[in-house]
Amino acid sequence: MQQLFKHTVLAVPLFFLTFPMMAQRTVVTATLRDSLSHETEPFATVRVFRQGNTAKPVAMAVADADGNISITVEGKGDYVITVASMGKTTVYRRFSLTGQPTLPLGDLLTTDDSKALQDVEVVAQKPVVTMTTDKMTYNVQQDADSKTMTLLDMLRKVPLVNVDGQDNVTVKGSSNFKVYVDGKPNQMFQNNFSQVAKSVPASMVQSIDVITSPGAKYDAEGTTGVLDIKMVRQNGKQNSDCDNCYNGNVELTASNHGERANVYVGGQQGKLTYSTMGFFAWQTMDNMKVTNTRIQQTTLGESRETNEMEMDEHRPFSMGEITLGYAIDSLSTLNVNAGISGGNTHHDYDPRNTFFGGPYGDGFSYTNHASEHNKYLGVNASTDYQRWLNADHTSQLTLSYLYDYNPAVNRSRTTYGDITGVTGLTLTDLYSDSHTWGTSHTGQADLTLDLGKGQTLETGTKFISRRNKSDSRLYDTVNGEDVLNTEGSMLYRNLQSIVAGYAQYKLTKEKYNARLGLRYEHTFESVKYAEHSERNFHKDYGNLVPSGSVGYNITPTSNIGLTYTMRISRPGISQLNPYVNRTIPTSLSYGNPSLAVVKSHNVSLSYNFFTPKLMLNASLSHDYVGNEIESYQFVDADNKYNSTYANNGKSRNTYVDAFVRWVATKTSTLMLNGNVSYGDWKAKELGYHNWGWSGSAYVGLEQQLPWKVKGSLGLFAQTRNYNLMGYNSGMQFFNVSLTRTFLKDRLELSARYANPLRSHLIINQYNAGKDFSNLTHISIPLQMVSLSVKWNFGNTKKQFAQHNSKINNDFNDSKKGSNPTEGLGM
């Protein structure tokens, strides 16, 4: 007992002497960049030695996919950090620790190691896909196909995103997602996303963020999340070693489906950075054929209606944007952005319509001429002020404002020829003229506080004011004159104000990271009808939106994460608008002003693994929606086919997604992006229930060919896709492209051949109700040959842009003080 007491007396002071040393931990952070291009270098090996003793490191780590370094060092004194990356010179940096919790070393610059490159075959890759527990990023500029494809083509390769044969885009099988451009909402893109994505060249897109599990910082809208399109100007930051730098490019593309031209210029003058971009695209789609057959059960028996038509489509689109950033001092920046974009689509067709059976007796047929013209425009401007609250750049205040204006015009005219023998239908020449306007103002304040010891608190508030207006006029054409049909016309206004606030706590400790957040949004909405004031109504409602995640870094290059997210979706003006479209004599389509907010719940589990040659991302998620807005159809008492919306749906979707990219040899890279999902949809009040499995896969090969030619092969295949009332058939899409650079990468020549084995893509759509079935057969000419030429100029390879806008929450969170492997492989 006496001996035990003696040892205890000696151990207690020794414990208190060693405890402070054990507790002195410092997180050292840095970013590894190429000294010329200023691009980040991923997966570098990081070692820390005590100064004068380089035999054994005191700490080791691996840089993440974006070149970010975060390594924990115990103790005080003088140290040396070494950073080694394949094909690059090793970086050495001395530093001293005095017990501070964090030590930012800033950018560490490295150069090509010419000797190493002569002796070593470099087969490492920069990541095409990176993923965190909050989002997945597809780095478009790291994909060889970005030289020849459009944004829509590239989306077929992005995990969690599908593009069907009619170019409809879905995220995890749903079209209910929000579209952002450079971290800000863009209603023109949102309202016309498929049309716009067909025109935007992939070479002008830096990356595509798929945010399926946003935290409390992000807007609650979009039941399956957010697609954020980052343009090339968003690649980088202001550089202290550049006073008069600039770069840019000009690109021209021609194909059998249209032409495209685009230009980009970015640079820096002292504390001012600037970038500007613009492009124009003209696309055509000739000889698209559509056959629609509808069978209806009526009191007079079964009837059949067949519509056959062949149409031409023209889609001009243009976009321009300018961004300015000014570094007020080392802690403050000011950014201004303005952009304008717009386009239109035009269709001309002469359908042949055949009816027989039921109320149509022995049947009849007729032809008519139809033309449609849709024009849309988007104007947006934003300003952001950011102030760092400490020298380590870990706490910040951001004030933001965004203005958005989106007018659109939709016009259509239907003219009938000989209608002799037509019975049971009222056929009159019609002209429809619909104008919509949408204006929004958004103000936001965000505060991020570094609480120390890996803890961060984020809080903020936001106000959105939206003003939407729709003026839809229907005219009966009598003796060549358009006479207003007051019953078929509607002047409709929708006013919406949203007040929001959020708080979010983040914790990073060794191999663990967690996030817990809560957001509240209150909506005030009123609807007014100019000619029918008795239909006016007002409503306000609040939504409390929780979210959370937890992650664990299994190894420096692999991790696993679990998230829960609740999302909401407010009905859009087209879904709410009660205006009845009567341009098709046998059909009516209209909105429902009584629609309620949709609430969805998502649970997702993800696993991620990265090495310089192999990357693997896999996720399992489940979505549940209890009051989904569904488009549904029925036949009314007048035997007319009605199409409208209602909160009549319940859906459950389970989604498994996998992305694999493997550098097989120094000249060959293979890629697989695939998913399998099971969906179950119900509309109990209507008696509808449908379910089914679906899947899609993109298999690609990137090959270095002789004469410095880069080749790419890609095959996309999709199975049948189900929905509440039916399905869309599957499709296959094949692509081959070649790229060659000249004059020290100043000149790029590219060629692409899409669908060389088949001239047309065939799509079948089927839906059915209690008393009807509808089958649509579509033949789309997708075979395409295109040639592109691009000229790069400037005195630097750097890209210039200031801090991203914080409106609707910046999706590029500061990595200062983050876990050393948070986001790596995810």
Side-chain angles (χ1 to χ4, degrees), residues 645-698:
Y645 304 89
N647 290 100
N648 58 11
K650 290 185 178 181
S651 65
R652 297 179 184 271
N653 286 274
T654 302
Y655 201 92
V656 178
D657 180 88
F659 179 90
V660 181
R661 185 177 174 88
W662 176 43
V663 181
T665 70
K666 66 177 182 179
T667 60
S668 304
T669 301
L670 295 171
M671 188 197 84
L672 169 65
N673 175 32
N675 65 77
V676 177
S677 64
Y678 177 79
D680 187 287
W681 299 267
K682 292 181 180 179
K684 186 175 181 181
E685 295 81 1
L686 300 174
Y688 296 155
H689 183 201
N690 198 17
W691 64 93
W693 290 89
S694 63
S696 67
Y698 187 97

Short mmCIF file of all heavy atoms in Angstrom, two decimals, residues 645-698:
data_model
loop_
_atom_site.label_atom_id
_atom_site.label_comp_id
_atom_site.label_asym_id
_atom_site.label_seq_id
_atom_site.Cartn_x
_atom_site.Cartn_y
_atom_site.Cartn_z
N TYR A 645 -53.45 20.01 -62.42
CA TYR A 645 -52.56 19.63 -61.32
C TYR A 645 -53.36 19.52 -60.02
O TYR A 645 -54.39 20.16 -59.86
CB TYR A 645 -51.46 20.68 -61.12
CG TYR A 645 -50.62 20.96 -62.34
CD1 TYR A 645 -50.99 21.96 -63.25
CD2 TYR A 645 -49.46 20.24 -62.58
CE1 TYR A 645 -50.23 22.23 -64.36
CE2 TYR A 645 -48.68 20.51 -63.70
CZ TYR A 645 -49.06 21.50 -64.58
OH TYR A 645 -48.30 21.75 -65.68
N ALA A 646 -52.82 18.74 -59.10
CA ALA A 646 -53.42 18.62 -57.77
C ALA A 646 -52.40 18.06 -56.80
O ALA A 646 -51.44 17.37 -57.20
CB ALA A 646 -54.66 17.71 -57.81
N ASN A 647 -52.59 18.37 -55.49
CA ASN A 647 -51.76 17.76 -54.44
C ASN A 647 -52.32 16.38 -54.10
O ASN A 647 -52.75 16.10 -52.99
CB ASN A 647 -51.77 18.62 -53.17
CG ASN A 647 -51.03 19.92 -53.34
OD1 ASN A 647 -51.62 20.97 -53.56
ND2 ASN A 647 -49.71 19.85 -53.22
N ASN A 648 -52.33 15.52 -55.10
CA ASN A 648 -53.01 14.24 -54.94
C ASN A 648 -52.05 13.07 -54.92
O ASN A 648 -52.48 11.91 -55.00
CB ASN A 648 -54.03 14.05 -56.06
CG ASN A 648 -53.39 14.11 -57.44
OD1 ASN A 648 -52.16 14.08 -57.56
ND2 ASN A 648 -54.21 14.19 -58.47
N GLY A 649 -50.77 13.32 -54.83
CA GLY A 649 -49.80 12.25 -54.97
C GLY A 649 -49.03 11.92 -53.71
O GLY A 649 -48.74 12.79 -52.89
N LYS A 650 -48.74 10.66 -53.54
CA LYS A 650 -47.80 10.18 -52.54
C LYS A 650 -46.76 9.35 -53.27
O LYS A 650 -47.11 8.49 -54.08
CB LYS A 650 -48.49 9.32 -51.48
CG LYS A 650 -49.41 10.09 -50.56
CD LYS A 650 -49.96 9.18 -49.47
CE LYS A 650 -50.85 9.98 -48.50
NZ LYS A 650 -51.37 9.12 -47.41
N SER A 651 -45.51 9.63 -53.00
CA SER A 651 -44.47 8.91 -53.73
C SER A 651 -43.37 8.48 -52.78
O SER A 651 -43.04 9.17 -51.82
CB SER A 651 -43.88 9.79 -54.84
OG SER A 651 -43.21 10.91 -54.31
N ARG A 652 -42.82 7.30 -53.09
CA ARG A 652 -41.64 6.78 -52.41
C ARG A 652 -40.65 6.35 -53.48
O ARG A 652 -41.01 5.60 -54.38
CB ARG A 652 -42.00 5.60 -51.52
CG ARG A 652 -42.96 5.93 -50.38
CD ARG A 652 -43.29 4.69 -49.57
NE ARG A 652 -44.27 4.97 -48.54
CZ ARG A 652 -43.97 5.39 -47.31
NH1 ARG A 652 -42.70 5.56 -46.96
NH2 ARG A 652 -44.92 5.62 -46.43
N ASN A 653 -39.41 6.84 -53.36
CA ASN A 653 -38.39 6.49 -54.33
C ASN A 653 -37.11 6.08 -53.61
O ASN A 653 -36.62 6.82 -52.74
CB ASN A 653 -38.10 7.66 -55.26
CG ASN A 653 -39.20 7.88 -56.28
OD1 ASN A 653 -39.20 7.27 -57.33
ND2 ASN A 653 -40.14 8.76 -55.95
N THR A 654 -36.59 4.93 -53.97
CA THR A 654 -35.30 4.48 -53.47
C THR A 654 -34.31 4.49 -54.62
O THR A 654 -34.60 3.94 -55.69
CB THR A 654 -35.41 3.07 -52.87
OG1 THR A 654 -36.38 3.09 -51.82
CG2 THR A 654 -34.07 2.62 -52.30
N TYR A 655 -33.15 5.09 -54.39
CA TYR A 655 -32.23 5.39 -55.48
C TYR A 655 -30.83 4.92 -55.10
O TYR A 655 -30.31 5.26 -54.04
CB TYR A 655 -32.22 6.90 -55.70
CG TYR A 655 -31.74 7.36 -57.06
CD1 TYR A 655 -32.64 7.57 -58.09
CD2 TYR A 655 -30.41 7.61 -57.30
CE1 TYR A 655 -32.23 8.03 -59.33
CE2 TYR A 655 -29.97 8.05 -58.54
CZ TYR A 655 -30.88 8.26 -59.55
OH TYR A 655 -30.46 8.70 -60.77
N VAL A 656 -30.21 4.08 -55.94
CA VAL A 656 -28.83 3.64 -55.76
C VAL A 656 -28.01 4.19 -56.93
O VAL A 656 -28.36 3.96 -58.10
CB VAL A 656 -28.71 2.11 -55.72
CG1 VAL A 656 -27.25 1.69 -55.57
CG2 VAL A 656 -29.54 1.55 -54.57
N ASP A 657 -26.96 4.93 -56.62
CA ASP A 657 -26.15 5.56 -57.65
C ASP A 657 -24.69 5.20 -57.44
O ASP A 657 -24.21 5.11 -56.31
CB ASP A 657 -26.32 7.08 -57.59
CG ASP A 657 -25.50 7.78 -58.66
OD1 ASP A 657 -26.02 7.95 -59.78
OD2 ASP A 657 -24.34 8.15 -58.37
N ALA A 658 -23.95 4.98 -58.54
CA ALA A 658 -22.53 4.66 -58.46
C ALA A 658 -21.78 5.36 -59.59
O ALA A 658 -22.26 5.40 -60.73
CB ALA A 658 -22.30 3.16 -58.53
N PHE A 659 -20.61 5.90 -59.25
CA PHE A 659 -19.74 6.53 -60.24
C PHE A 659 -18.33 5.96 -60.05
O PHE A 659 -17.80 5.97 -58.94
CB PHE A 659 -19.71 8.05 -60.08
CG PHE A 659 -18.81 8.74 -61.06
CD1 PHE A 659 -19.30 9.15 -62.29
CD2 PHE A 659 -17.47 8.97 -60.77
CE1 PHE A 659 -18.48 9.78 -63.22
CE2 PHE A 659 -16.64 9.59 -61.69
CZ PHE A 659 -17.15 10.00 -62.92
N VAL A 660 -17.75 5.45 -61.14
CA VAL A 660 -16.40 4.89 -61.09
C VAL A 660 -15.59 5.49 -62.23
O VAL A 660 -16.06 5.55 -63.37
CB VAL A 660 -16.42 3.34 -61.24
CG1 VAL A 660 -15.00 2.78 -61.16
CG2 VAL A 660 -17.31 2.72 -60.17
N ARG A 661 -14.39 5.94 -61.90
CA ARG A 661 -13.47 6.44 -62.92
C ARG A 661 -12.10 5.82 -62.65
O ARG A 661 -11.54 5.96 -61.56
CB ARG A 661 -13.39 7.97 -62.89
CG ARG A 661 -12.55 8.56 -64.02
CD ARG A 661 -12.59 10.08 -63.97
NE ARG A 661 -11.70 10.70 -64.92
CZ ARG A 661 -12.01 11.00 -66.18
NH1 ARG A 661 -13.22 10.74 -66.61
NH2 ARG A 661 -11.14 11.56 -66.99
N TRP A 662 -11.56 5.14 -63.66
CA TRP A 662 -10.34 4.36 -63.48
C TRP A 662 -9.33 4.72 -64.58
O TRP A 662 -9.64 4.63 -65.76
CB TRP A 662 -10.68 2.86 -63.54
CG TRP A 662 -9.48 1.97 -63.47
CD1 TRP A 662 -8.40 2.09 -62.65
CD2 TRP A 662 -9.24 0.80 -64.28
NE1 TRP A 662 -7.51 1.07 -62.87
CE2 TRP A 662 -8.00 0.25 -63.87
CE3 TRP A 662 -9.97 0.15 -65.28
CZ2 TRP A 662 -7.47 -0.89 -64.44
CZ3 TRP A 662 -9.44 -0.99 -65.84
CH2 TRP A 662 -8.20 -1.49 -65.43
N VAL A 663 -8.15 5.14 -64.14
CA VAL A 663 -7.04 5.38 -65.07
C VAL A 663 -6.39 4.03 -65.32
O VAL A 663 -5.51 3.59 -64.55
CB VAL A 663 -6.04 6.39 -64.50
CG1 VAL A 663 -4.91 6.64 -65.50
CG2 VAL A 663 -6.74 7.70 -64.16
N ALA A 664 -6.81 3.35 -66.37
CA ALA A 664 -6.35 1.98 -66.63
C ALA A 664 -4.89 1.95 -67.04
O ALA A 664 -4.12 1.10 -66.59
CB ALA A 664 -7.23 1.34 -67.70
N THR A 665 -4.48 2.87 -67.92
CA THR A 665 -3.08 2.99 -68.35
C THR A 665 -2.78 4.47 -68.49
O THR A 665 -3.64 5.33 -68.27
CB THR A 665 -2.85 2.29 -69.70
OG1 THR A 665 -3.51 3.03 -70.74
CG2 THR A 665 -3.40 0.86 -69.69
N LYS A 666 -1.57 4.78 -68.87
CA LYS A 666 -1.19 6.18 -69.04
C LYS A 666 -1.92 6.83 -70.20
O LYS A 666 -1.92 8.05 -70.33
CB LYS A 666 0.31 6.31 -69.22
CG LYS A 666 0.84 5.69 -70.51
CD LYS A 666 2.34 5.91 -70.65
CE LYS A 666 2.86 5.33 -71.96
NZ LYS A 666 4.32 5.56 -72.12
N THR A 667 -2.58 6.04 -71.06
CA THR A 667 -3.29 6.60 -72.21
C THR A 667 -4.79 6.30 -72.21
O THR A 667 -5.51 6.78 -73.08
CB THR A 667 -2.69 6.07 -73.53
OG1 THR A 667 -2.81 4.63 -73.55
CG2 THR A 667 -1.24 6.47 -73.67
N SER A 668 -5.29 5.53 -71.24
CA SER A 668 -6.69 5.11 -71.26
C SER A 668 -7.35 5.35 -69.91
O SER A 668 -6.80 5.00 -68.87
CB SER A 668 -6.81 3.62 -71.61
OG SER A 668 -6.19 3.33 -72.85
N THR A 669 -8.52 5.94 -69.95
CA THR A 669 -9.32 6.16 -68.75
C THR A 669 -10.75 5.69 -69.01
O THR A 669 -11.36 6.05 -70.02
CB THR A 669 -9.34 7.65 -68.36
OG1 THR A 669 -8.01 8.09 -68.12
CG2 THR A 669 -10.17 7.86 -67.09
N LEU A 670 -11.28 4.87 -68.10
CA LEU A 670 -12.63 4.35 -68.22
C LEU A 670 -13.53 4.99 -67.17
O LEU A 670 -13.08 5.30 -66.06
CB LEU A 670 -12.63 2.83 -68.02
CG LEU A 670 -11.90 2.01 -69.08
CD1 LEU A 670 -11.79 0.56 -68.63
CD2 LEU A 670 -12.61 2.10 -70.42
N MET A 671 -14.81 5.18 -67.52
CA MET A 671 -15.76 5.81 -66.62
C MET A 671 -17.09 5.09 -66.69
O MET A 671 -17.53 4.67 -67.76
CB MET A 671 -15.96 7.27 -66.99
CG MET A 671 -16.80 8.05 -66.00
SD MET A 671 -17.44 9.60 -66.67
CE MET A 671 -18.90 9.01 -67.50
N LEU A 672 -17.73 4.94 -65.53
CA LEU A 672 -19.08 4.37 -65.45
C LEU A 672 -19.90 5.23 -64.51
O LEU A 672 -19.51 5.47 -63.37
CB LEU A 672 -19.05 2.93 -64.94
CG LEU A 672 -20.43 2.33 -64.57
CD1 LEU A 672 -21.30 2.21 -65.82
CD2 LEU A 672 -20.27 0.99 -63.88
N ASN A 673 -21.03 5.69 -64.99
CA ASN A 673 -21.99 6.42 -64.16
C ASN A 673 -23.32 5.71 -64.31
O ASN A 673 -23.92 5.71 -65.38
CB ASN A 673 -22.10 7.89 -64.62
CG ASN A 673 -23.18 8.63 -63.86
OD1 ASN A 673 -23.44 8.34 -62.69
ND2 ASN A 673 -23.82 9.58 -64.52
N GLY A 674 -23.79 5.06 -63.24
CA GLY A 674 -25.01 4.29 -63.35
C GLY A 674 -25.90 4.45 -62.13
O GLY A 674 -25.45 4.85 -61.05
N ASN A 675 -27.17 4.13 -62.31
CA ASN A 675 -28.11 4.19 -61.19
C ASN A 675 -29.25 3.19 -61.42
O ASN A 675 -29.58 2.85 -62.56
CB ASN A 675 -28.67 5.60 -61.01
CG ASN A 675 -29.51 6.05 -62.18
OD1 ASN A 675 -30.66 5.64 -62.34
ND2 ASN A 675 -28.93 6.90 -63.04
N VAL A 676 -29.82 2.76 -60.32
CA VAL A 676 -31.01 1.90 -60.32
C VAL A 676 -31.96 2.48 -59.29
O VAL A 676 -31.54 2.87 -58.19
CB VAL A 676 -30.66 0.45 -59.96
CG1 VAL A 676 -31.93 -0.40 -59.89
CG2 VAL A 676 -29.69 -0.14 -60.97
N SER A 677 -33.24 2.57 -59.63
CA SER A 677 -34.21 3.15 -58.69
C SER A 677 -35.52 2.37 -58.74
O SER A 677 -35.85 1.73 -59.75
CB SER A 677 -34.47 4.62 -59.01
OG SER A 677 -35.07 4.76 -60.29
N TYR A 678 -36.23 2.43 -57.62
CA TYR A 678 -37.57 1.86 -57.54
C TYR A 678 -38.51 2.94 -57.04
O TYR A 678 -38.25 3.59 -56.02
CB TYR A 678 -37.61 0.67 -56.60
CG TYR A 678 -39.01 0.10 -56.43
CD1 TYR A 678 -39.54 -0.74 -57.40
CD2 TYR A 678 -39.79 0.43 -55.34
CE1 TYR A 678 -40.83 -1.26 -57.28
CE2 TYR A 678 -41.08 -0.08 -55.20
CZ TYR A 678 -41.59 -0.92 -56.17
OH TYR A 678 -42.86 -1.42 -56.05
N GLY A 679 -39.61 3.16 -57.77
CA GLY A 679 -40.56 4.19 -57.41
C GLY A 679 -41.96 3.64 -57.22
O GLY A 679 -42.37 2.67 -57.87
N ASP A 680 -42.69 4.28 -56.31
CA ASP A 680 -44.08 3.90 -56.04
C ASP A 680 -44.89 5.18 -55.92
O ASP A 680 -44.59 6.04 -55.09
CB ASP A 680 -44.16 3.09 -54.74
CG ASP A 680 -45.57 2.53 -54.52
OD1 ASP A 680 -46.46 3.33 -54.17
OD2 ASP A 680 -45.75 1.32 -54.66
N TRP A 681 -45.91 5.34 -56.78
CA TRP A 681 -46.71 6.56 -56.83
C TRP A 681 -48.18 6.20 -56.59
O TRP A 681 -48.70 5.24 -57.17
CB TRP A 681 -46.59 7.24 -58.19
CG TRP A 681 -45.19 7.66 -58.52
CD1 TRP A 681 -44.59 8.86 -58.29
CD2 TRP A 681 -44.21 6.84 -59.18
NE1 TRP A 681 -43.31 8.86 -58.75
CE2 TRP A 681 -43.03 7.63 -59.30
CE3 TRP A 681 -44.19 5.54 -59.66
CZ2 TRP A 681 -41.88 7.16 -59.89
CZ3 TRP A 681 -43.02 5.06 -60.24
CH2 TRP A 681 -41.89 5.86 -60.35
N LYS A 682 -48.86 7.02 -55.79
CA LYS A 682 -50.28 6.79 -55.51
C LYS A 682 -51.03 8.11 -55.55
O LYS A 682 -50.51 9.15 -55.13
CB LYS A 682 -50.47 6.15 -54.13
CG LYS A 682 -49.95 4.74 -54.01
CD LYS A 682 -50.22 4.19 -52.61
CE LYS A 682 -49.70 2.76 -52.48
NZ LYS A 682 -49.94 2.22 -51.11
N ALA A 683 -52.25 8.07 -56.06
CA ALA A 683 -53.21 9.18 -55.97
C ALA A 683 -54.54 8.55 -55.59
O ALA A 683 -55.35 8.16 -56.45
CB ALA A 683 -53.31 9.94 -57.29
N LYS A 684 -54.74 8.42 -54.28
CA LYS A 684 -55.86 7.63 -53.77
C LYS A 684 -57.20 8.17 -54.22
O LYS A 684 -58.10 7.41 -54.61
CB LYS A 684 -55.79 7.59 -52.24
CG LYS A 684 -56.82 6.67 -51.60
CD LYS A 684 -56.61 6.60 -50.10
CE LYS A 684 -57.62 5.67 -49.46
NZ LYS A 684 -57.45 5.60 -47.98
N GLU A 685 -57.37 9.51 -54.19
CA GLU A 685 -58.66 10.10 -54.56
C GLU A 685 -59.03 9.79 -56.01
O GLU A 685 -60.20 9.67 -56.35
CB GLU A 685 -58.63 11.61 -54.34
CG GLU A 685 -58.49 12.03 -52.89
CD GLU A 685 -57.04 11.98 -52.40
OE1 GLU A 685 -56.17 11.62 -53.21
OE2 GLU A 685 -56.81 12.28 -51.22
N LEU A 686 -58.00 9.68 -56.88
CA LEU A 686 -58.27 9.40 -58.29
C LEU A 686 -58.23 7.91 -58.60
O LEU A 686 -58.57 7.50 -59.71
CB LEU A 686 -57.23 10.12 -59.16
CG LEU A 686 -57.20 11.65 -59.04
CD1 LEU A 686 -56.03 12.21 -59.83
CD2 LEU A 686 -58.50 12.24 -59.53
N GLY A 687 -57.79 7.12 -57.64
CA GLY A 687 -57.73 5.68 -57.86
C GLY A 687 -56.55 5.25 -58.69
O GLY A 687 -56.58 4.16 -59.30
N TYR A 688 -55.48 6.05 -58.73
CA TYR A 688 -54.30 5.72 -59.54
C TYR A 688 -53.20 5.16 -58.63
O TYR A 688 -52.96 5.63 -57.52
CB TYR A 688 -53.76 6.94 -60.26
CG TYR A 688 -54.69 7.55 -61.27
CD1 TYR A 688 -54.59 8.89 -61.63
CD2 TYR A 688 -55.67 6.77 -61.90
CE1 TYR A 688 -55.44 9.46 -62.55
CE2 TYR A 688 -56.53 7.32 -62.83
CZ TYR A 688 -56.41 8.67 -63.16
OH TYR A 688 -57.26 9.22 -64.08
N HIS A 689 -52.51 4.16 -59.13
CA HIS A 689 -51.37 3.58 -58.43
C HIS A 689 -50.43 2.97 -59.46
O HIS A 689 -50.86 2.17 -60.30
CB HIS A 689 -51.83 2.51 -57.43
CG HIS A 689 -50.71 1.94 -56.61
ND1 HIS A 689 -50.79 0.72 -55.99
CD2 HIS A 689 -49.46 2.42 -56.33
CE1 HIS A 689 -49.66 0.47 -55.34
NE2 HIS A 689 -48.85 1.49 -55.54
N ASN A 690 -49.16 3.35 -59.41
CA ASN A 690 -48.19 2.82 -60.36
C ASN A 690 -46.86 2.65 -59.65
O ASN A 690 -46.56 3.36 -58.69
CB ASN A 690 -48.03 3.76 -61.57
CG ASN A 690 -47.40 3.06 -62.75
OD1 ASN A 690 -47.35 1.82 -62.81
ND2 ASN A 690 -46.90 3.82 -63.70
N TRP A 691 -46.05 1.71 -60.12
CA TRP A 691 -44.76 1.44 -59.51
C TRP A 691 -43.87 0.79 -60.56
O TRP A 691 -44.34 0.32 -61.60
CB TRP A 691 -44.91 0.53 -58.30
CG TRP A 691 -45.42 -0.85 -58.63
CD1 TRP A 691 -44.69 -1.96 -58.91
CD2 TRP A 691 -46.79 -1.23 -58.76
NE1 TRP A 691 -45.50 -3.01 -59.20
CE2 TRP A 691 -46.79 -2.61 -59.10
CE3 TRP A 691 -48.01 -0.56 -58.61
CZ2 TRP A 691 -47.98 -3.30 -59.31
CZ3 TRP A 691 -49.18 -1.27 -58.81
CH2 TRP A 691 -49.16 -2.63 -59.15
N GLY A 692 -42.58 0.76 -60.29
CA GLY A 692 -41.69 0.10 -61.23
C GLY A 692 -40.22 0.41 -60.98
O GLY A 692 -39.87 1.36 -60.28
N TRP A 693 -39.36 -0.41 -61.57
CA TRP A 693 -37.91 -0.24 -61.53
C TRP A 693 -37.46 0.52 -62.77
O TRP A 693 -38.03 0.38 -63.85
CB TRP A 693 -37.22 -1.60 -61.50
CG TRP A 693 -37.39 -2.37 -60.23
CD1 TRP A 693 -38.39 -3.24 -59.92
CD2 TRP A 693 -36.54 -2.33 -59.09
NE1 TRP A 693 -38.22 -3.75 -58.66
CE2 TRP A 693 -37.07 -3.21 -58.12
CE3 TRP A 693 -35.37 -1.63 -58.77
CZ2 TRP A 693 -36.49 -3.42 -56.89
CZ3 TRP A 693 -34.78 -1.84 -57.55
CH2 TRP A 693 -35.33 -2.71 -56.62
N SER A 694 -36.41 1.29 -62.62
CA SER A 694 -35.81 1.96 -63.76
C SER A 694 -34.32 2.11 -63.51
O SER A 694 -33.84 1.99 -62.36
CB SER A 694 -36.44 3.33 -64.02
OG SER A 694 -36.24 4.18 -62.91
N GLY A 695 -33.58 2.38 -64.56
CA GLY A 695 -32.13 2.54 -64.41
C GLY A 695 -31.54 3.18 -65.64
O GLY A 695 -32.16 3.25 -66.71
N SER A 696 -30.32 3.67 -65.48
CA SER A 696 -29.60 4.26 -66.60
C SER A 696 -28.10 4.10 -66.35
O SER A 696 -27.66 3.91 -65.22
CB SER A 696 -29.95 5.74 -66.78
OG SER A 696 -29.47 6.51 -65.68
N ALA A 697 -27.32 4.16 -67.42
CA ALA A 697 -25.87 4.03 -67.29
C ALA A 697 -25.19 4.77 -68.43
O ALA A 697 -25.68 4.79 -69.56
CB ALA A 697 -25.46 2.56 -67.31
N TYR A 698 -24.08 5.41 -68.09
CA TYR A 698 -23.21 6.03 -69.09
C TYR A 698 -21.84 5.38 -68.96
O TYR A 698 -21.22 5.39 -67.89
CB TYR A 698 -23.11 7.54 -68.89
CG TYR A 698 -22.34 8.24 -70.00
CD1 TYR A 698 -23.03 8.85 -71.04
CD2 TYR A 698 -20.95 8.28 -70.01
CE1 TYR A 698 -22.33 9.48 -72.08
CE2 TYR A 698 -20.26 8.90 -71.03
CZ TYR A 698 -20.95 9.50 -72.07
OH TYR A 698 -20.27 10.12 -73.09
#
